[in-house]
Each structure stands twice: as C-alpha cells, then as structure tokens.
C-alpha cells in the first residue's frame, strides 16, 4: 500500500512534487508493468533465500502455524517458499500487476497460487476465513502514509487472525536514516541483486523516496513513510497484540547494531496479567 499522484516510475518519468505523493494509494502508480518485470532482478530469489535462510519457515513451524495469509505477496518470493515448506498459503496484494507476476512465478515452479487482490483497509471484505499467521514483509507496511490507514490495516489484520494467531511485519531501519541523514544500505539481507542499487534520493520526516537503478539504465522510485521501530511496536500493542518480539536482520535485536531491517513478531493470543 502507498500514495497518490502521477506516475513516478521510469528513468525519464517526471517526478511529482513530494507533497503530491504522500497518500496511501500512490504505490499503485509506482508499481508499473516495467518495474514489476524487473522486481525479481532486484530481489534475486536465490541470493535472498541464502541470506534469509529458514528464518520465517522455522518461526512459523515453532509456533505450530499452518495457514498463512501473505498480505504483501509482491512477486511471490515468500509465498512460494512457504508453499514449498508445506504451509497452506493465501497470497494477497493490492497491486494486480504484482499478483499476476506472483502467479506466473508460482506456476513456473509447479505451484498454483491462491491469489486475492485486496486493499488492507478492507481486507476482510475480500478474504474469507481466519488464519494462523499473517505476514506483511518487504517493507510494505511503510507504503501507508496516513495514520488512520495504519490503524485500519492493523485492525483488519487482527480480525483476520485466529485467537492465537501471529502477525509478522517488517520495516526498514528508518531510525538510522532519520537520525544520521547520511544513509547508505548494503541491502545484503533483503535486496540481493548485485547489479541493482537501492538508496533514498529524498529523505524527510514524513517521506523516504527510494530510487532503484538497474543495469540497463532504467530507474524507478518508491515512496515510503519512515516509520520508527518503537512507533510500530507501540502501534501493534494499541491494536491488541500483547507479546511483541523484534528481530534485526533475522537476529535478536540486541545482537545487531544498525541493521538494515527490523522484523516484528506480534502474538494475538491473550495473556492475562498476573
């Protein structure tokens, strides 16, 4: 999910004023067909699989989860990995181009994905049933610019989970970006394509615009709201998630300084106070 304005993707596309690109639907205009086709070049599934390892698979198995809703499917990387690990996965995304590419990627690997296009803010209108786990990965939650949209989306996630379900949500380390203002990411964990650069070309308190440069000379942009780690943890608690564990680059938070990403694991299960 993201913002509002004119197309921002492509090397020769004129950029809108930043103020015109801070709405929670703008991502629809940024994920154009040509960018979606290049997305796997940015991700590099093989390299990402090696760096990520079994983190999400092991986490879900340790929690005894079987049914998973991938609400930020993208081109299908996590959906396919979880399907191949034996999970029952429903693939959801707000962007039709991404879902079509995910279905294509799944079919190429011998899987027919269960795909649903849905807006997070009205998720339960389009998604049927309750799930053991919801995953919202790839820095996708930061596409939401409005406070009310973040609250609405989390309320929908919470409602779509079983009574003991878990939400796994990740985000970039915007704390480091905002505090240092001289940010450069090795993107060694999430964006593993060696020939693609991904770095912010505009950073404000309420906007992080990333530029993606590809070997063929094309460039694309994505706009995100720079959410701080503690803000997200507090937001999860506000929506009823009592137990929240935060990891950094697939390790316990305190073991890694200045990570690229934070991963929040929030449990819905009710824990009575002593």
């Amino acid at each position: 999910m993201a913002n509002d304005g004119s197309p921002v993707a492509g090397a020769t596309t004129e950029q809108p004023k930043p103020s015109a690109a801070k709405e929670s639907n703008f991502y629809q205009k940024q994920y154009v067909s040509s960018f979606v086709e290049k997305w796997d070049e940015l991700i590099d599934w093989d390299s990402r699989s090696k760096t990520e390892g079994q983190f999400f698979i092991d986490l879900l198995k340790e929690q005894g989860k079987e049914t998973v809703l991938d609400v930020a499917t993208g081109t299908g990387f996590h959906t396919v990995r979880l399907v191949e690990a034996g999970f029952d996965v429903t693939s959801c995304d707000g962007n039709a181009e991404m879902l079509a590419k995910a279905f294509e990627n799944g079919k190429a690997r011998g899987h027919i994905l269960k795909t649903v296009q849905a807006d997070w803010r009205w998720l339960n209108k389009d998604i049927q049933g309750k799930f053991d786990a919801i995953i919202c990965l790839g820095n996708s939650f930061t596409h939401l610019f409005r406070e009310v949209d973040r609250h609405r989306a989390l309320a929908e996630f919470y409602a779509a989970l079983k009574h003991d379900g878990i939400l796994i949500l990740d985000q970039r380390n915007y704390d480091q970006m905002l505090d240092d203002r001289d940010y450069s990411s090795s993107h060694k964990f999430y964006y593993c394509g060696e020939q693609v650069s991904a770095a912010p070309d505009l950073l404000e308190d309420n906007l992080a615009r990333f530029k993606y440069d590809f070997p063929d000379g094309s460039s694309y942009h994505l706009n995100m709201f720079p959410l701080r780690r503690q803000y997200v943890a507090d937001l999860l608690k506000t929506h009823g998630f009592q137990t929240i564990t935060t990891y950094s680059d697939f390790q316990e938070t305190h073991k890694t300084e200045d990570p690229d990403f934070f991963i929040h694991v929030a449990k819905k299960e009710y824990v009575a106070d002593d």
Side-chain angles (χ1 to χ4, degrees):
M1 315 258 323
N3 340 36
D4 166 87
S6 58
V8 184
T12 60
T13 306
E14 183 180 353
Q15 294 293 316
K17 294 180 180 179
S19 60
K22 297 177 181 177
E23 286 296 331
S24 297
N25 291 319
F26 190 55
Y27 74 105
Q28 296 282 16
K29 299 179 183 295
Q30 293 188 303
Y31 286 117
V32 294
S33 298
S34 56
F35 191 19
V36 171
E37 285 298 320
K38 290 178 178 293
W39 193 253
D40 291 331
E41 190 177 337
L42 169 68
I43 297 298
D44 190 336
W45 285 33
D46 291 338
S47 295
R48 186 167 177 178
S49 294
K50 291 177 182 177
T51 56
E52 185 176 298
Q54 295 283 112
F55 181 84
F56 295 111
I57 294 171
D58 290 344
L59 179 61
L60 290 167
K61 286 185 176 180
E62 288 169 3
Q63 298 291 328
K65 307 309 178 187
E66 297 178 355
T67 59
V68 180
L69 175 62
D70 184 353
V71 295
T73 296
T75 57
F77 173 77
H78 285 107
T79 285
V80 171
R81 288 211 75 198
L82 292 177
V83 166
E84 292 179 343
F87 293 95
D88 180 1
V89 185
T90 299
S91 308
C92 170
D93 203 283
N95 184 266
E97 297 279 358
M98 282 290 195
L99 270 184
K101 186 63 177 178
F103 189 87
E104 178 185 317
N105 284 337
K107 189 174 181 180
R109 290 164 173 78
H111 310 294
I112 301 300
L113 305 186
K114 296 184 292 184
T115 59
V116 181
Q117 184 179 358
D119 188 308
W120 296 341
R121 295 166 294 185
W122 299 277
L123 181 69
N124 290 278
K125 176 174 67 70
D126 299 306
I127 297 295
Q128 303 299 316
K130 303 280 188 179
F131 298 85
D132 294 326
I134 291 176
I135 60 172
C136 181
L137 305 176
N139 195 44
S140 300
F141 193 70
T142 63
H143 280 315
L144 293 173
F145 273 76
R146 300 174 65 213
E147 177 85 6
V148 66
D149 289 336
R150 291 192 284 271
H151 281 287
R152 176 74 188 197
L154 285 180
E156 290 289 311
F157 292 171
Y158 192 90
L161 287 169
K162 294 180 181 178
H163 74 281
D164 60 348
I166 63 172
L167 168 64
I168 305 175
L169 183 152
D170 74 7
Q171 63 172 105
R172 279 188 176 275
N173 183 358
Y174 291 109
D175 293 65
Q176 182 185 4
M177 293 186 206
L178 294 172
D179 293 341
D180 294 348
R181 297 291 178 171
D182 183 23
Y183 175 82
S184 63
S185 173
S186 63
H187 47 261
K188 61 183 178 180
F189 287 102
Y190 271 72
Y191 299 138
C192 300
E194 294 294 332
Q195 304 302 315
V196 183
S197 67
D201 70 347
L202 178 64
L203 184 59
E204 301 174 348
D205 288 338
N206 60 358
L207 173 64
R209 186 175 69 191
F210 272 74
K211 183 181 181 184
Y212 302 85
D213 293 318
F214 290 83
D216 64 1
S218 61
S219 298
Y220 300 84
H221 291 79
L222 286 179
N223 291 11
M224 278 82 79
F225 190 97
L227 299 170
R228 289 188 176 272
R229 181 189 63 80
Q230 191 57 53
Y231 168 84
V232 175
D234 291 342
L235 197 63
L236 290 166
K237 290 180 181 179
T238 297
H239 284 274
F241 294 99
Q242 286 186 273
T243 305
I244 300 166
T245 304
T246 300
Y247 299 83
S248 54
D249 291 342
F250 313 112
Q251 301 180 58
E252 292 180 17
T253 302
H254 70 276
K255 292 184 178 180
T256 305
E257 295 182 2
D258 298 329
D260 288 343
F261 271 72
F262 292 116
I263 302 163
H264 306 281
V265 180
K267 296 182 179 182
K268 180 177 179 178
E269 184 177 14
Y270 177 69
V271 179
D273 294 332
D274 293 334

